[in-house]
Amino acid sequence: MQRWNRRKTHLHLLALLFLLFIVLTILHNEHSIRQIQETPDPESRRQEASISYVKPNVLSHRNGVPVEILDRFSKCNGTKQYSGRKISRDGRKSESGRRKVRSARCDVFSGKWVFDNTSYPLYNESQCPYMSDQLACHKHGRSDVRYQYWRWQPHGCNLKRWNVTKMWEKLRGKRLMFVGDSLNRGQWISMVCLLQSVIPADKKSMSPNAPLTIFRAEEYNATIEFLWAPLLVESNSDDPVNHRLDERIIRPDSVLKHSSEWEHADILVFNTYLWWRQGPVKLLWSAEENGVCEESEEHNAMELVMTTWADWVASRAIPLKKQVFFVTMSPTHLWSREWEVESDGNCYNEKTPIELESYWGSGSDQPTMRIVEKIIDKLSSAITVLNITQLSEYRKDGHPSIYRKFWEELSPQQLSNPVSYSDCIHWCLPGVPDVWNELLFHFL
């Protein structure tokens, strides 16, 4: 009996050792696989080594003469294929490695639109002297004004209630600047209309339309400004009026032309998106001596530009403790078949929001969103992303369509077919951009 117990003990010990051997073998194999996965193969290393990197936002001179500024008359002396060079970063780390979640209890960007003709609109279109004819839909013939009465309601919580006086107090002694394209200009006009009514006529002013346009409120020693910079970096499209060009040329490695204006602001609201959906872009690097451009598809070009912008934010905005917001893409509604199967229109004559919460149209480019997310994730938690994309996706009814001023004369053929010239990109005011500003107020 004792002999059997000793033999049984030996068997248990051998089984335990065998089990331990199997576990160690598995762990070793997993570690080896992980090393293989994490270690680039020689070919990857060679490809990585062959990529050249450009340090961004460096004042460039050639033979002691500053590099010329791009304008609408700038041309490429030739074009070659994109070389694959990248923008280098100087290794600055973010504070936490991830963006801070500003509201852990509630995602204010997830919700639904609720009809509310008691609290909305927050201002009257005709009583805002700074309203744009591009966005004044009722003035230009839109009789259905239901688009003005929708309130954004997050799931499980509420946005801070809009308060004009509190917003002005947040802005007292400060410069709030919107930087970007015509969609960001629409958000700027919305903010001016939301705030201007409480300022006496002799205590407010608006500068003439220019690359930098400024609304000033003397009582609060505050300004609300818009800087036209549709591609964020220097480009030949930086004229706020004459920017419809056949060839788009950018300096992918420099925001210095625009940052010389925006670096003095206290609160910055950036956007860029729509101009990256218009085909290939010409890259004219600051160090290029012969004026030869590289042609790149839009996603590569946008990633270069966003990295250059992020370099400025990391080196200047964060150390100076500026408040920086980035507004995600504003969706378009160009194809009604995306929300109404077998239809053949666009946003024209649409009068109600989309109710399907999972709706996602082609007007929002997800690869572009991933580029933005990847780059902003590497920045400090001081950056706040205003994720307006999904909530704006629902608002197929919120665009001007034909109810706006068009700068070019419309042909008889267009006039006979309203769908052909409907603006399904910009937004009527009062309307969707007011909610974007309510979100900005919520996070300030």
Side-chain angles (χ1 to χ4, degrees):
M1 188 69 175
Q2 288 180 349
R3 194 182 308 132
W4 168 250
N5 285 340
R6 277 199 301 272
R7 186 181 302 166
K8 190 176 181 181
T9 302
H10 290 159
L11 288 173
H12 284 171
L13 183 59
L14 287 171
L16 183 61
L17 289 171
F18 182 69
L19 182 61
L20 183 61
F21 171 76
I22 291 173
V23 170
L24 290 173
T25 301
I26 292 171
L27 291 174
H28 173 74
N29 289 338
E30 286 184 352
H31 177 70
S32 300
I33 290 168
R34 195 158 50 244
Q35 279 189 319
I36 291 170
Q37 290 174 337
E38 293 175 356
T39 303
D41 60 72
E43 180 61 28
S44 298
R45 282 200 296 267
R46 278 195 296 273
Q47 290 177 355
E48 182 69 20
S50 69
I51 296 174
S52 62
Y53 285 86
V54 177
K55 184 169 178 57
N57 301 318
V58 177
L59 286 172
S60 295
H61 294 75
R62 299 196 196 109
N63 301 319
V65 179
V67 173
E68 66 179 46
I69 297 294
L70 293 178
D71 61 27
R72 62 193 178 97
F73 303 107
S74 299
K75 298 292 182 183
C76 298
N77 291 336
T79 302
K80 58 185 178 181
Q81 188 176 0
Y82 171 52
S83 63
R85 72 183 81 178
K86 301 290 187 182
I87 301 296
S88 67
R89 294 288 301 277
D90 62 4
R92 294 182 185 92
K93 302 290 185 180
S94 69
E95 293 174 6
S96 62
R98 294 182 61 83
R99 290 196 312 279
K100 181 168 61 180
V101 178
R102 296 284 179 140
S103 178
R105 292 173 297 176
C106 177
D107 178 4
V108 295
F109 306 117
S110 175
K112 63 180 180 180
W113 290 94
V114 177
F115 189 76
D116 181 353
N117 59 359
T118 302
S119 304
Y120 288 76
L122 297 172
Y123 56 89
N124 189 298
E125 175 194 298
S126 63
Q127 293 175 358
C128 179
Y130 310 107
M131 179 61 66
S132 166
D133 276 337
Q134 188 181 38
L135 311 175
C137 300
H138 183 56
K139 174 183 175 180
H140 287 88
R142 183 167 180 173
S143 58
D144 166 46
V145 292
R146 284 175 60 89
Y147 66 90
Q148 300 184 7
Y149 298 120
W150 294 93
R151 171 173 55 84
W152 178 247
Q153 178 60 58
H155 293 311
C157 61
N158 296 307
L159 281 175
K160 290 179 184 176
R161 187 175 181 81
W162 174 258
N163 186 296
V164 175
T165 303
K166 286 183 179 179
M167 185 61 178
W168 274 121
E169 287 301 332
K170 291 176 183 290
L171 298 180
R172 184 180 290 277
K174 295 181 178 179
R175 294 177 64 180
L176 165 63
M177 186 183 293
F178 294 83
V179 180
D181 58 22
S182 59
L183 291 158
N184 217 13
R185 181 168 55 202
Q187 187 175 354
W188 165 70
I189 293 170
S190 161
M191 182 64 82
V192 171
C193 290
L194 283 164
L195 292 174
Q196 63 84 31
S197 63
V198 299
I199 307 298
D202 61 342
K203 298 292 184 182
K204 61 187 176 185
S205 62
M206 179 74 82
S207 69
N209 183 37
L212 180 63
T213 310
I214 303 172
F215 174 82
R216 186 179 306 278
E218 293 181 21
E219 185 178 349
Y220 290 91
N221 186 30
T223 59
I224 307 169
E225 311 177 25
F226 172 70
L227 179 66
W228 173 261
L231 297 157
L232 294 184
V233 292
E234 179 185 336
S235 80
N236 67 337
S237 301
D238 290 339
D239 187 303
V241 177
N242 299 307
H243 50 252
R244 296 188 178 183
L245 307 173
D246 294 332
E247 181 180 69
R248 287 181 302 134
I249 306 172
I250 66 172
R251 291 204 188 279
D253 55 340
S254 180
V255 300
L256 294 179
K257 174 186 173 183
H258 298 312
S259 66
S260 65
E261 298 283 2
W262 77 48
E263 67 182 356
H264 303 295
D266 302 285
I267 305 166
L268 286 159
V269 183
F270 292 95
N271 91 319
T272 188
Y273 165 56
L274 201 63
W275 283 55
W276 301 106
R277 288 173 64 87
Q278 299 178 20
V281 184
K282 302 292 179 64
L283 313 177
L284 183 56
W285 298 89
S286 298
E288 174 57 53
E289 296 184 3
N290 299 316
V292 176
C293 299
E294 296 180 349
E295 184 168 270
S296 170
E297 62 91 17
E298 55 266 37
H299 285 125
N300 278 337
M302 184 179 181
E303 185 168 8
L304 292 171
V305 165
M306 286 297 297
T307 307
T308 297
W309 169 82
D311 175 83
W312 185 90
V313 171
S315 62
R316 297 291 296 163
I318 294 172
L320 294 175
K321 300 190 183 304
K322 297 179 182 294
Q323 287 183 276
V324 180
F325 296 84
F326 191 91
V327 181
T328 62
M329 64 180 65
S330 172
T332 59
H333 292 90
L334 302 175
W335 313 105
S336 62
R337 61 177 175 267
E338 294 182 343
W339 61 83
E340 185 180 347
V341 178
E342 295 184 356
S343 63
D344 188 27
N346 54 24
C347 71
Y348 173 66
N349 212 28
E350 293 290 344
K351 297 178 181 178
T352 57
I354 294 167
E355 295 183 358
L356 180 65
E357 288 194 23
S358 62
Y359 174 78
W360 197 268
S362 62
S364 296
D365 182 49
Q366 300 210 34
T368 299
M369 292 193 76
R370 286 193 289 271
I371 289 171
V372 172
E373 183 177 12
K374 179 179 74 172
I375 291 169
I376 292 181
D377 268 345
K378 296 177 182 178
L379 288 171
S380 165
S381 58
I383 309 302
T384 300
V385 175
L386 295 182
N387 187 0
I388 58 97
T389 306
Q390 183 74 78
L391 64 92
S392 304
E393 278 276 19
Y394 305 136
R395 293 301 307 276
K396 59 182 171 60
D397 61 311
H399 299 285
S401 68
I402 65 172
Y403 304 108
R404 51 158 288 189
K405 180 176 181 179
F406 290 92
W407 316 120
E408 304 88 4
E409 186 176 354
L410 298 168
S411 68
Q413 291 81 8
Q414 287 176 306
L415 291 171
S416 66
N417 179 19
V419 170
S420 69
Y421 68 95
S422 286
D423 180 350
C424 299
I425 294 172
H426 300 95
W427 301 93
C428 297
L429 290 179
V432 173
D434 303 328
V435 173
W436 303 349
N437 282 322
E438 287 184 273
L439 290 163
L440 179 61
F441 173 68
H442 183 85
F443 287 111
L444 272 175

